[in-house]
Amino acid sequence: MYREISNLIIYRDSAEHEILANLGKVFKDFDMKSASDDDLRTRIYAQVRRLLDIATKYGFDNNLWHNYLTFLIMTDENPFSLTYEKAGVQEGTVNNFAINDFSTFKNLFDFDFAPIETALGINCFSVLSDYRAIAKREQIFNKNVSEKVRELSRKIESADNGEQIFYIVAQFYKDYGVGMFGLNKAFRIETDENCLSFKFNAITNMEPVHLSMLIGYESQKKALIENTEAFVLGKGANNLLLYGDSGTGKSTSIKAIVNQYYDRGLRMIEIYKHQFGCLSRVISEIKNRNYRFIIYMDDLSFEESEIEYKYLKAIIEGGVETKPDNVLIYATSNRRHLIKETWNDRNDVKQDGDMHRSETIEEKLSLVNRFGLSIGYFKPSRREFDQMVVELAARYPEITMPEEQIIAEAHKWEMLGGGISGRTAQQFVNHLCGIANK
């Protein structure tokens, strides 16, 4: 095994992955007879445990060894994978190195573990080659990742040589991408205390909501879809502000639009206002990737003393560096103008003919004006609220209460403090599900 690993060129980072590198050292010591059987068994079991951990995290199944090698191929960001993610199969010298590496992976896929298992009296590798997961996938890991691992693993298993694997993997990179951006829908950034450095963390348990699940707000959803559709197609699209009352579905709409367009290359990066100092560097990291990115800012607002909005203004429009075409900013807020306004803002009002202008007010409004599209979400009327409750309840067969009783109980529920909103309607229906059949 260690001889095969040493042949990797482009996928050298994969060769240094902890599990593969450590197993390579084990097999070298086994061949050289430079370690005791007990030591070799202990070291093998340690790597098997790590392999089981990663299998549980990402949902490997059937042949865990093949799944693991496939995962390395899927996540290794190198000159070959990044180029093919963006441009697809093309002629180039790098192809020769890639075929060499895929020939090596083919040998690793077909590696014969029988000699070491017989010599050490173990069968762990045989067990891993026919593994059956017992937990429910969707409750543990990103199901999207697990499905793609197994899909690509089966295709590589059926390949006869490195050249066939080359075309299989190249097409995979073109279709789905490489690394964490290729495998996940959404991300948060983790920064140090002073926002001098950051890293992306995948959100693996994103809520599986769809716009059809949001009752009402048809014109708002239509405007959101039209803007996002244009963005995904590479046409002109606007930064977007969803503003309005709490609990009306603003955040749900953003999550749903990402779910809807993920398969067409849309990704989301959630960022908070205390991280705005990193925003330009975040955009620099993603501007050359073959995806469309929504920078998502949830519940965005600024108090009078906060100045972080100035960072955002410069990024959206007005900075020296033009915002790339594959990045838009989508924000939600309960405030129409994002920044708290006070009567003191009017102290510098000046009269220009028939116009009265305040530089302070215009400074604050200049941020919201840089969102090319603003969509309002407001509390439903009593009639619309009743319709929401009835339609939501109809989605749960365990709720058998008559429609009139559902509406009456919903009125009592919202008077307890939730108020009339889509969120309150959903919370009430959740309550009905909880007490059903008691």
Side-chain angles (χ1 to χ4, degrees), residues 163-308:
E163 186 171 359
Q164 288 185 12
I165 297 175
F166 167 86
Y167 287 105
I168 291 170
V169 174
Q171 188 62 49
F172 179 89
Y173 289 153
K174 179 60 177 175
D175 291 342
Y176 301 109
V178 60
M180 61 179 173
F181 289 133
L183 298 177
N184 297 281
K185 298 177 182 178
F187 307 84
R188 293 189 180 95
I189 65 168
E190 180 181 331
T191 65
D192 59 16
E193 185 175 353
N194 298 314
C195 213
L196 297 176
S197 63
F198 71 91
K199 67 177 182 178
F200 295 103
N201 289 329
I203 300 172
T204 59
N205 58 342
M206 188 169 169
E207 192 175 358
V209 293
H210 303 281
L211 286 175
S212 61
M213 299 168 65
L214 182 64
I215 299 172
Y217 302 99
E218 297 305 322
S219 63
Q220 290 90 335
K221 291 188 288 187
K222 181 175 182 291
L224 176 61
I225 289 173
E226 288 177 349
N227 194 69
T228 308
E229 178 81 17
F231 178 51
V232 168
L233 292 174
K235 300 179 179 180
N238 286 297
N239 298 307
L240 180 65
L241 172 64
L242 274 57
Y243 70 93
D245 298 319
S246 176
T248 51
K250 301 183 296 296
S251 299
T252 298
S253 295
I254 302 295
K255 297 172 188 174
I257 208 71
V258 174
N259 287 330
Q260 182 168 330
Y261 286 96
Y262 162 73
D263 287 338
R264 295 171 62 180
L266 187 66
R267 303 291 184 269
M268 182 180 78
I269 299 173
E270 186 173 22
I271 189 169
Y272 304 100
K273 63 184 178 183
H274 71 273
Q275 300 172 325
F276 283 178
C278 290
L279 192 51
S280 61
R281 279 172 285 160
V282 170
I283 292 175
S284 293
E285 283 284 319
I286 61 179
K287 65 182 181 181
N288 293 320
R289 298 303 298 267
N290 194 33
Y291 307 98
R292 300 280 167 175
F293 290 93
I294 287 174
I295 305 294
Y296 173 48
M297 302 168 185
D298 190 31
D299 197 18
L300 184 64
S301 65
F302 301 92
E303 299 303 319
E304 186 179 6
S305 60
E306 294 178 316
I307 62 171
E308 288 91 345

Side-chain angles (χ1 to χ4, degrees), residues 246-247 385 388-389 392-393 396 399 409-410 413-414 416-435:
S246 176
F385 176 74
M388 286 181 180
V389 170
L392 286 171
Y396 300 89
I399 299 177
E409 293 298 323
W413 179 271
E414 64 90 4
L416 294 175
I420 296 176
S421 71
R423 178 182 295 152
T424 300
Q426 183 64 64
Q427 290 170 345
F428 169 68
V429 171
N430 292 344
H431 166 70
L432 290 185
C433 289
I435 63 173

